[in-house]
Amino acid sequence: MNIEYKINTPIAPEDIISLYESAGLNRPTNDKERIEKMYKNSNLVISAWDENTLVGVSRALTDFCFCCYLSDLAVRKEYQKQGIGKKLIDATREHISSQSMLLLLSAPTAMEYYPAIGMDEVKNGFIFNRLQ
């Protein structure tokens, strides 16, 4: 298997929805317009492709010099545990520079994954949850 990684390549919303559903990521997959808006307003999207199949994505909002919020990390179920997620995070970190921190909110099912790839858990955050 030869996975190709692409930076800020346009992705069809149907491919994103299929990926999220396969990965079990809780996103508004029944709202194609919202998915399109999520990607239109993100400034760093790294995608992983197996030929024409989207198998993984890292979607981030960043200023490239101080902070980066990794809002989505998803890998298609049948491609998990092959290092694709780690490569997506590594590529994201390369593009944001060593001056920038990378922060994310973990899905409950991934709480053990992030420390295993070297991320530190933070306890100094606060949130206003979305209303919809």
Side-chain angles (χ1 to χ4, degrees), residues 18-98:
S18 174
L19 170 66
Y20 285 168
E21 289 176 348
S22 170
L25 200 61
N26 184 17
R27 295 297 182 268
T29 56
N30 61 340
D31 188 345
K32 180 179 162 187
E33 186 176 307
R34 191 169 180 188
I35 294 289
E36 288 175 318
K37 198 180 293 186
M38 288 164 50
Y39 275 77
K40 178 183 174 206
N41 293 309
S42 300
N43 61 347
L44 180 58
V45 176
I46 302 177
S47 52
W49 299 84
D50 184 2
E51 296 186 15
N52 293 324
T53 302
L54 178 66
V55 299
V57 72
S58 164
R59 182 177 71 87
L61 307 167
T62 183
D63 58 21
F64 295 97
C65 64
F66 187 73
C67 65
C68 175
Y69 173 61
L70 181 57
S71 51
D72 292 339
L73 179 69
V75 176
R76 191 172 288 283
K77 183 94 172 149
E78 61 269 26
Y79 287 82
Q80 292 177 3
K81 301 190 186 310
Q82 297 179 37
I84 295 170
K86 175 130 177 31
K87 285 183 185 175
L88 287 165
I89 290 175
D90 289 346
T92 300
R93 291 182 71 202
E94 286 175 27
H95 280 81
I96 62 174
S97 88
S98 61

Side-chain angles (χ1 to χ4, degrees), residues 95-106:
H95 280 81
I96 62 174
S97 88
S98 61
Q99 292 181 320
S100 185
M101 62 82 117
L102 182 119
L103 176 73
L104 61 82
L105 295 174
S106 177

